[in-house]
Amino acid sequence: MKLPSDADSSGRDLGQQELELLREVIESGTLNCTKGSQVNAFEKSFADRYSVPHARAVASGTAAVHTALNALMPEPCDEIITTPVTDMGALTPILYEQAIPVFADVDPVTLNITPESVAERITEHTRAIVVTHLFGNPCDLDGICEVARDHGLPVIEDCAQAFLAEHNGKLVGTVGDVGCFSLQQGKHMTTGEGGVVITSDDALARHMRLFSDKAWGYGDPQPDHYFLALNYRMTELQGAVANAQFAKLSGVVDRRRRTAAALTEALRGVPGLTLPEAAPGSTHVYWKYPLTVDAKVLEGGADALGAQLKSRGVFCVPRYIQKPAFMCQLFTERRTFGKSGLPYSRLADLGRPEVRYDEAEYPGTAQGLASVVVLPWNEAYTEEHVDFIAAAVKGAVTELSPTGTFTGAAAGETRA
Ligand SMILES: Cc1ncc(COP(=O)(O)O)c(C=O)c1O
């Protein structure tokens, strides 16, 4: 069975509504958001849905995180606490701001940072905390915000994978100071590339609008380019697709949640697996469906389960990003601005110790990445797709369990 994929039309709902709005844009001759109406309308709908006064559409999720960080105006070498298990687009903006990423360890099952791991990393140089709600599962946001409040620190929520997820009755993205979203090809809604930032803070909103538009004060009595900034504007073409996609978002999230719940029911009790479920009070929106594999129960652990699933026609990614983000060359070789090694190389001048990222300090990250198998998830999955995936997982578990301990009887699977 071929499962729908978010890489093509089998798993993307792009059609008549998008085409109609695109036609309007093309016929208007205005492809630029400063003069057009689509991006404006999208920003208004997004802000309304999230019950916040401000949303700004930008060019990508990376641009969204950069825009949010810039609005906090970190000084060079300020520290930003974040997670080593996220997309690189959530991390490079920290370096572009000449700030130092400080990584908090993650919980080995959710792969999210925790209030405790964040608190451990706070120093006199900490300027902000950036959380990622990984795979669509909200982190302990209230706990992290409490730690942040105790230290007077702002929180940026990276919701690239967590559209319409909730934490204690609030949409994630509205609990911290700024929420960031990605509209890249594989997200809950897509414009190919794109992003959004939201906030309730008027000053942050103004700064973010300026930063994403070369800091030119459109509409001001005496406009100028007020500060160093980029062009991160979204085009009207993307805005048209965004409006059509946004109208479908609730349905997408509902369908993903319903089919994920069906898989969870089908796999409940299967030995050696921890299934992805949100903490009480939170909702998981299943950008992906991660399985945590106990290598003491299933021989060969996540890698073996991944190989088994692939051999049964279920694509998956054991170990997710493979290694903590700080093990990438960017960080290990400090490949930043020319050969300067900035911002790290400046720490000595400030009388501060060198920063070294040591894998040994991240046991939760090591354990979590070693034991996760990430299944793609999609709003186009049907009951039959879920049954197929469940049967493949049970068959794989049967194969990897000590003889006779699990037979996958419910799915009619037997040891090969
Ligand atoms: C958690 C997270 N943050 C940031 C990004 C960066 O978004 P983009 O690829 O749109 O720049 C992504 C994208 O994949 C992501 O998953």
Side-chain angles (χ1 to χ4, degrees):
M1 178 181 285
K2 192 173 175 317
L3 292 166
S5 159
D6 63 25
D8 58 45
S9 59
S10 66
R12 298 283 76 176
D13 184 358
L14 293 159
Q16 215 43 51
Q17 297 95 326
E18 285 79 3
L19 284 170
E20 275 167 27
L21 293 177
L22 278 168
R23 172 176 283 281
E24 271 180 38
V25 170
I26 296 284
E27 288 179 350
S28 76
T30 305
L31 306 192
N32 167 297
C33 71
T34 46
K35 297 282 188 298
S37 58
Q38 291 294 330
V39 172
N40 255 319
F42 172 56
E43 290 174 345
K44 181 159 185 348
S45 313
F46 205 92
D48 286 351
R49 179 68 184 83
Y50 275 86
S51 306
V52 291
H54 310 287
R56 172 64 168 165
V58 291
S60 67
T62 307
V65 176
H66 194 185
T67 300
L69 273 170
N70 186 271
L72 303 179
M73 292 196 286
E75 295 295 327
C77 292
D78 276 354
E79 295 174 352
I80 310 288
I81 297 179
T82 187
T83 167
V85 186
T86 189
D87 184 85
M88 196 51 81
L91 302 176
T92 49
I94 299 174
L95 293 171
Y96 271 107
E97 286 299 304
Q98 302 262 350
I100 306 280
V102 169
F103 295 98
D105 200 10
V106 299
D107 175 90
V109 173
T110 63
L111 291 166
N112 279 330
I113 56 174
T114 66
E116 297 73 27
S117 70
V118 167
E120 271 173 22
R121 297 284 168 178
I122 291 176
T123 72
E124 59 183 307
H125 303 293
T126 307
R127 181 66 190 83
I129 299 163
V130 183
V131 305
T132 291
H133 303 295
L134 202 74
F135 304 136
N137 188 14
C139 60
D140 179 355
L141 202 49
D142 284 346
I144 289 173
C145 286
E146 196 180 317
V147 170
R149 236 184 347 266
D150 288 349
H151 292 84
L153 296 170
V155 173
I156 295 174
E157 291 182 64
D158 183 351
C159 311
Q161 307 180 357
F163 284 81
L164 302 185
E166 289 182 5
H167 176 69
N168 293 338
K170 293 189 207 118
L171 286 166
V172 304
T174 65
V175 183
D177 296 81
V178 182
C180 303
F181 300 81
S182 163
L183 309 179
Q184 167 267 343
Q185 173 75 32
K187 298 303 194 281
H188 288 82
M189 60 173 286
T190 185
T191 56
E193 305 288 354
V196 188
V197 284
I198 60 173
T199 187
S200 294
D201 182 304
D202 295 345
L204 290 178
R206 174 168 163 83
H207 190 107
M208 292 196 292
R209 189 160 283 274
L210 286 167
F211 180 69
S212 60
D213 201 353
K214 296 173 271 187
W216 178 255
Y218 281 98
D220 287 356
Q222 289 179 302
D224 198 354
H225 292 285
Y226 299 129
F227 54 83
L228 179 65
L230 292 157
N231 175 358
Y232 278 157
R233 291 186 307 233
M234 177 179 270
T235 71
E236 284 290 282
L237 298 167
Q238 290 164 299
V241 177
N243 280 316
Q245 286 277 290
F246 194 56
K248 303 173 188 173
L249 181 64
S250 296
V252 165
V253 169
D254 288 349
R255 287 197 293 283
R256 282 177 178 251
R257 294 193 64 210
R258 206 166 41 236
T259 48
L263 183 64
T264 297
E265 275 323 299
L267 296 182
R268 209 177 283 293
V270 172
L273 298 181
T274 303
L275 308 172
E277 285 176 285
S282 287
T283 58
H284 197 316
V285 292
Y286 297 96
W287 181 58
K288 303 284 177 193
Y289 189 103
L291 292 166
T292 307
V293 184
D294 184 346
K296 292 196 285 300
V297 178
L298 300 181
E299 204 179 318
D303 291 332
L305 186 82
Q308 278 286 331
L309 287 177
K310 285 179 199 166
S311 76
R312 289 158 200 267
V314 174
F315 175 77
C316 60
V317 183
R319 297 175 183 261
Y320 186 40
I321 55 170
Q322 309 306 307
K323 56 189 179 187
F326 55 73
M327 299 298 287
C328 293
Q329 279 177 34
L330 159 63
F331 293 107
T332 55
E333 298 180 21
R334 306 276 145 97
R335 292 196 180 165
T336 52
F337 300 92
K339 294 195 178 64
S340 69
L342 285 168
Y344 298 98
S345 54
R346 190 154 176 243
L347 289 170
D349 298 342
L350 301 172
R352 285 167 51 189
E354 197 184 347
V355 168
R356 284 276 148 223
Y357 302 122
D358 180 358
E359 232 185 331
E361 288 177 28
Y362 297 88
T365 301
Q367 188 190 328
L369 288 177
S371 53
V372 72
V373 175
V374 181
L375 301 178
W377 209 248
N378 197 282
E379 55 275 19
Y381 283 1
T382 61
E383 247 174 67
E384 290 69 37
H385 294 129
V386 172
D387 289 347
F388 174 71
I389 297 167
V393 173
K394 288 177 177 176
V397 168
T398 303
E399 195 65 32
L400 302 175
S401 300
T403 315
T405 55
F406 181 72
T407 59
E413 285 281 346
T414 51
R415 182 172 280 269

